[in-house]
């Protein structure tokens, strides 16, 4: 989600792999057919970390893999196994001041569908807990 062109990355991976070689990717993702959550999540990611480009949907990942010539073996979409806390997530990226305040506001005012998708929960200490959606994919270069 920090590549300017995921298709170029996947195409280059295809080029350097030997026939039968495998590409494995694990990354944050957006659910298919959830444009509101997609827009919300990618917006707060850019506010938090200016190097963020975009989290892609499983459909988009399938297109990147096929477009490069790979055969998709498996693509699973899963939630985080352990919730993330907003304070720690912002600190990890060095996000503070106005940007951090805006991200917090967006979490607190997240639309109901977004809050459900990302399990956004306010904690008793005032922090916010959430879980991103992730993809894991395996693709093979044909022999």
């Amino acid at each position: 989600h920090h590549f300017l062109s995921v298709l170029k990355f996947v195409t280059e991976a295809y080029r350097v792999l030997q026939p039968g070689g495998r590409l494995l990717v694990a990354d944050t993702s957006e659910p298919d057919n959830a444009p509101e959550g997609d827009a919300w999540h990618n917006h707060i990611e850019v506010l938090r970390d200016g190097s963020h480009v975009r989290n892609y949907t499983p459909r988009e990942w399938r297109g990147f893999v096929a477009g490069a010539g790979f055969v998709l073996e498996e693509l699973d979409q899963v939630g985080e196994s352990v919730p993330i806390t907003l304070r720690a997530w912002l600190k990890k990226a060095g996000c503070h001041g106005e940007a951090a305040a805006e991200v917090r506001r967006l979490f607190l005012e997240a639309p109901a569908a977004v809050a459900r998708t990302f399990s956004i929960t306010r904690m008793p200490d005032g922090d916010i807990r959430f879980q991103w959606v992730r993809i894991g994919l395996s693709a093979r270069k044909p022999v």
Side-chain angles (χ1 to χ4, degrees):
H1 57 267
H2 294 274
F3 288 114
L4 295 177
S5 173
V6 174
L7 182 56
K8 284 183 182 179
F9 157 71
V10 175
T11 300
E12 183 65 5
Y14 184 90
R15 185 187 70 77
V16 301
L17 281 171
Q18 295 179 0
R22 183 177 288 147
L23 171 70
L24 303 173
V25 175
D27 199 7
T28 49
S29 180
E30 302 301 333
D32 282 325
N33 304 315
E36 183 178 39
D38 184 324
W40 180 89
H41 185 192
N42 280 294
H43 177 66
I44 65 160
E45 287 278 7
V46 170
L47 286 173
R48 173 188 169 259
D49 177 356
S51 72
H52 177 85
V53 175
R54 177 162 164 61
N55 291 315
Y56 297 93
T57 65
R59 182 179 304 115
E60 289 170 311
W61 274 106
R62 285 182 184 92
F64 295 140
V65 167
F70 283 101
V71 174
L72 184 65
E73 295 180 314
E74 187 172 352
L75 190 151
D76 291 321
Q77 192 170 13
V78 296
E80 295 274 359
S81 57
V82 176
I84 304 165
T85 59
L86 185 61
R87 285 185 195 132
W89 187 66
L90 292 170
K91 183 178 179 181
K92 181 179 175 181
C95 181
H96 52 341
E98 289 180 21
E102 178 64 3
V103 169
R104 180 173 174 75
R105 182 189 71 75
L106 290 168
F107 266 88
L108 291 171
E109 297 175 6
V114 169
R116 278 191 306 275
T117 297
F118 300 117
S119 303
I120 298 171
T121 308
R122 199 165 183 175
M123 298 169 56
D125 67 356
D127 205 351
I128 298 168
R129 184 177 59 214
F130 60 96
Q131 294 177 285
W132 292 144
V133 176
R134 297 193 178 274
I135 58 108
L137 74 79
S138 172
R140 188 172 301 277
K141 182 174 180 175
V143 177

